[in-house]
Amino acid sequence: AALDLAYVAAGFYDGFWEVGLNPWDVAAGSLLVLEAGGLIGDLSGESGYMNTGNIVGGNPKVFVQLLQIIAPHLDAKLKA
């Protein structure tokens, strides 16, 4: 996850999402994305990704669209 988020920060990927991560899996990568001007959130786009272990990251042009694409495929447990 850290490498994938680093690729988002570098512009190699437009976006990335994953579920079931630990804080140490996303801490450094999420900082890279934020410092590069990208957006990071949980599956609802909020800032609780460190607590939930579910992360969505992307450049500002695709972040909202990525959330919209993922949303219909989430089960009730992931939506909470």
Side-chain angles (χ1 to χ4, degrees):
L3 181 60
D4 288 321
L5 290 168
Y7 285 168
V8 171
F12 298 143
Y13 293 171
D14 290 326
F16 168 77
W17 69 278
E18 192 168 344
V19 298
L21 298 169
N22 293 305
W24 53 84
D25 295 327
V26 297
S30 62
L31 179 62
L32 290 172
V33 172
L34 291 171
E35 289 293 320
L39 300 173
I40 294 284
D42 58 15
L43 297 176
S44 61
E46 302 298 324
S47 62
Y49 60 91
M50 289 290 241
N51 296 327
T52 65
N54 307 324
I55 191 165
V56 178
N59 68 50
K61 293 181 179 180
V62 302
F63 184 75
V64 173
Q65 289 86 357
L66 190 56
L67 291 171
Q68 292 170 343
I69 291 169
I70 294 168
H73 304 286
L74 301 176
D75 62 13
K77 182 180 174 185
L78 291 175
K79 287 182 181 179

